[in-house]
Amino acid sequence: PITPGELLCLGSSLAFSGLFYYLYRRKARVVARIQEAPKLQVNDDLPALVSAAEGTCLPYVALEGVVLPAQAVLTSHYHEGLQGVIQKLLLKEHRLIWNSLARSW
């Protein structure tokens, strides 16, 4: 005989397994799309290619080329010979709306 507690544990275990498998498959599809991304060279043709794309945006691409620092190259303290630059960041804030039912933003 199976007790209701065992049925509850079995059901919740199956539900969590299904949820985690769904999340795994969704992330695996994103990773596959990123790995299949076209590799483009940074050259004079790149602005024309971006402006010709739908919505002037390329969803997943890998850019290859030489990057020049704006001021100084950053060098790693932990790995000798490893250098990098800081990418320009664009911060976009989304408007928050107060939810009076949940009492949160």
Side-chain angles (χ1 to χ4, degrees):
I2 298 176
T3 64
E6 291 173 337
L7 283 176
L8 179 68
C9 289
L10 178 65
S12 63
S13 174
L14 288 174
F16 280 122
S17 295
L19 173 70
F20 292 138
Y21 182 72
Y22 166 75
L23 293 173
Y24 165 76
R25 294 297 304 158
R26 196 171 77 177
K27 296 299 178 184
R29 282 193 299 267
V30 171
V31 168
R33 283 186 60 197
I34 290 173
Q35 288 177 342
E36 295 170 357
K39 294 181 181 174
L40 303 176
Q41 295 292 326
V42 178
N43 56 20
D44 297 334
D45 299 333
L46 188 60
L49 183 65
V50 171
S51 63
E54 181 180 333
T56 64
C57 178
L58 299 172
Y60 289 115
V61 294
L63 293 177
E64 296 177 339
V66 177
V67 177
L68 300 175
Q71 294 177 356
V73 177
L74 300 174
T75 56
S76 174
H77 296 287
Y78 305 106
H79 300 283
E80 188 174 326
L82 189 62
Q83 298 178 337
V85 295
I86 296 178
Q87 176 184 355
K88 240 186 199 182
L89 296 176
L90 174 66
L91 178 65
K92 181 177 180 182
E93 293 186 27
H94 297 281
R95 192 176 102 184
L96 296 175
I97 299 173
W98 176 255
N99 184 349
S100 61
L101 183 61
R103 299 202 179 265
S104 67
W105 288 99

